[in-house]
């Protein structure tokens, strides 16, 4: 089959159609990321870029403790946010899939996704209003006579960052788990009950393992993007709650040191990707061990 | 009833999701500069301040232009990918589609810094609305593909074949038969891309030029306590606008499913 006949075949026409989005992503995603990799091995002195290959940026990253602290804190925050979000979301997804009548499901999903589509900046800021010194929680608790002094541990620290991020990423966790639960053949659950398993053991031995792909997707779709968020730590984190994304942003926009920013971004990306891959591999092994 | 505790939990969870947004109108109509309880009185002057603010009007104008362009281009690219996705396989097809969908799981700051490096340092371009548009098209295309995939995969290919057998060319068969059938998906995809672009801050902050987009302008306002009630008023309008757009998008999506003759199983995504 020659090239001409391939172009006329259905597969060939599909390839032609796929070319524009592919070339767009190649030009605006793959090549720019390649540029980040290159820049991370260069240095910048004020406005001039020195294109000699050097590991200086990476050396600085590992020599100065601040970068390691920020990266470690970022990974910890993302990890806790992922855990909290997924644990809180699973029962909701389970309820949607198993207890809501099918004609009501899309209404529930719609209600869950709406807050996600409203201005992110303003949502973050509103958490400040809720958690602040004169905020909803403090004035409510004081008004109810439960506390005398406003609580200070809920704003301008890591806790505030975690609460806000867990709220922002909630729908991301619910949707993939819901899709995985919907795909489970209900007769498998009936069979398990018929064979003498209780409702609880059926959940742990049938439903949970079968919903694992959704759970894994939820973990990845929450964990990876939270690393790149600098809005929430900037507004909610105070002095001790800054994360690695704030440092990347500072290097690029305030210190005008693109190569150093590129190196930090590379290290963060490599860490996130490595953790994601290990997580997926462990999960696969766990599922196979059971099978 | 079985599942009653789960229902209570799900409703509490919804309350948690809506708690921050519920506060918006309270403070938008509250007659005090400080955003805190107790509330003082009813006023609409934050809304009149909002309309009088020329810089904000310009930022909103920029954002609307960027969002409209993003909606058009992301949907065109999504249309290509979704149509190809519904057609025959060819070597590497799955990988290519996966690559195009990648921005969905990439941290936004990575997209932002990589484009900033290429546009500013490599190409030496000035940042303007089009630099923001180019990035927004990149991150919105996966959403468009996800929505349009639904529209195309429910389509019976024999309808288009029948049109071609009856003498239409391939293009006119697509235009006259397939396009009307997937039109609800196209409108839904444009509305979603529009909404994402209108609200996007992380990338826009890096790539915006001399004229900021609306979220970038809001970010600036958040530093000035006196301006906060105006932000609340703006937020109220934005929430009302996004909810309206989303309801329209959802209605079109459902109409599309009904047109294709299948049962509704879920929301966007």
């Amino acid at each position: 089959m020659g090239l001409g006949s391939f172009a006329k075949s259905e597969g060939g026409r599909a390839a032609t159609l796929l070319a524009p989005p592919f070339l767009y992503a190649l030009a605006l995603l793959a090549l720019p990321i390649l540029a980040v990799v290159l820049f991370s091995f260069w240095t910048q002195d004020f406005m001039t870029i020195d294109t000699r290959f050097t590991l200086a940026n990476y050396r600085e990253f590992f020599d100065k403790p601040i970068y390691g602290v920020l990266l470690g804190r970022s990974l910890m925050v993302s990890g806790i946010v992922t855990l909290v979000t997924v644990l809180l979301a699973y029962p909701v997804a389970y309820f949607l899939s198993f207890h809501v009548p099918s004609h009501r499901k899309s209404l529930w999903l719609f209600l869950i996704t709406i807050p996600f589509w409203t201005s992110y900046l303003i949502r973050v800021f509103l958490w400040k209003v809720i958690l602040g010194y004169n905020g909803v929680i403090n004035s409510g608790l004081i008004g109810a006579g439960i506390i005398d002094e406003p609580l200070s541990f809920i704003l301008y620290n890591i806790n505030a960052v975690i609460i806000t991020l867990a709220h922002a990423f909630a729908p991301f966790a619910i949707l993939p788990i819901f899709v995985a639960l919907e795909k489970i053949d209900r007769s498998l659950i009936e069979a398990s009950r018929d064979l003498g398993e209780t409702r609880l053991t059926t959940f742990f031995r049938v439903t949970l393992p079968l919903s694992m792909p959704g759970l894994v997707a939820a973990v990845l779709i929450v964990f990876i993007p939270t690393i790149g968020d600098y809005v929430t730590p900037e507004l909610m984190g105070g002095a001790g709650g800054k994360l690695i994304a704030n440092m990347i942003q500072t290097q690029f926009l305030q210190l005008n040191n693109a190569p150093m920013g590129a190196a930090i971004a590379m290290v963060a990306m490599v860490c996130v990707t490595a953790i994601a891959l290990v997580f997926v591999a462990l999960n696969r092994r766990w599922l196979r061990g059971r099978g | 009833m079985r599942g009653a505790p789960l229902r209570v939990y799900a409703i509490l969870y919804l309350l948690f999701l809506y708690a921050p947004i519920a506060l918006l109108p309270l403070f938008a109509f509250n007659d005090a500069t400080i955003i805190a309880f107790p509330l003082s009185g009813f006023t609409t002057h934050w809304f009149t301040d909002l309309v009088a603010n020329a810089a904000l009007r310009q930022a909103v104008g920029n954002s609307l232009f960027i969002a409209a362009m993003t909606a058009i281009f992301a949907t065109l690219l999504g249309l290509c990918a979704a149509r190809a996705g519904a057609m025959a396989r060819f070597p590497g097809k799955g990988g290519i589609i996966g690559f195009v969908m990648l921005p969905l799981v990439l941290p936004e700051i990575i997209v932002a810094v990589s484009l900033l490096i290429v546009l500013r340092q490599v190409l030496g371009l000035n940042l303007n609305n089009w630099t923001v548009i180019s990035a927004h098209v990149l991150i919105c295309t996966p959403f468009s593909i996800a929505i349009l995939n639904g529209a195309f995969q429910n389509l019976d290919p024999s309808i288009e074949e029948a049109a071609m057998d009856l003498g239409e060319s391939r293009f006119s068969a697509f235009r006259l038969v397939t396009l009307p059938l997937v039109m609800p998906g196209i409108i839904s995809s444009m509305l979603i891309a529009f909404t994402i672009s209108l609200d996007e801050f992380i990338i826009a902050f890096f790539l915006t030029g001399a004229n900021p987009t609306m979220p970038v302008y809001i970010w600036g306002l958040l530093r000035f306590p006196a301006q906060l009630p105006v932000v609340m008023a703006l937020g109220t309008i934005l929430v009302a606008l996004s909810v309206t757009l989303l309801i329209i998008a959802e209605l079109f999506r459902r109409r599309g499913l009904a047109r294709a003759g299948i049962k509704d199983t879920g929301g966007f995504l």
Side-chain angles (χ1 to χ4, degrees), chain A residues 147-227:
Chain A
I147 52 169
D148 300 322
E149 295 265 300
L151 305 171
S152 58
F153 65 88
I154 49 176
L155 187 61
Y156 298 130
N157 56 32
I158 289 286
N159 300 336
V161 176
I162 291 172
I163 295 173
T164 311
L165 284 174
H167 178 263
F169 282 88
F172 283 108
I174 293 180
L175 292 176
I177 300 174
F178 169 75
V179 170
L181 286 171
E182 283 287 278
K183 281 185 188 151
I184 296 178
D185 186 348
R186 298 302 193 260
S187 58
L188 290 174
I189 291 161
E190 281 167 30
S192 160
R193 296 296 306 279
D194 287 346
L195 291 171
E197 297 280 1
T198 65
R199 200 171 285 157
L200 199 67
T201 52
T202 299
F203 174 77
F204 280 109
R205 300 186 64 179
V206 181
T207 317
L208 185 62
L210 286 174
S211 66
M212 256 324 172
L215 214 60
V216 172
V219 165
L220 295 182
I221 219 165
V222 176
F223 183 75
I224 300 174
T226 45
I227 290 279

Side-chain angles (χ1 to χ4, degrees), chain A residues 98-113:
Chain A
F98 284 89
H99 294 291
V100 173
S102 52
H103 64 279
R104 283 283 185 76
K105 279 179 183 168
S106 51
L107 177 70
W108 270 89
L109 285 174
F110 190 59
L111 284 176
I112 286 168
T113 34

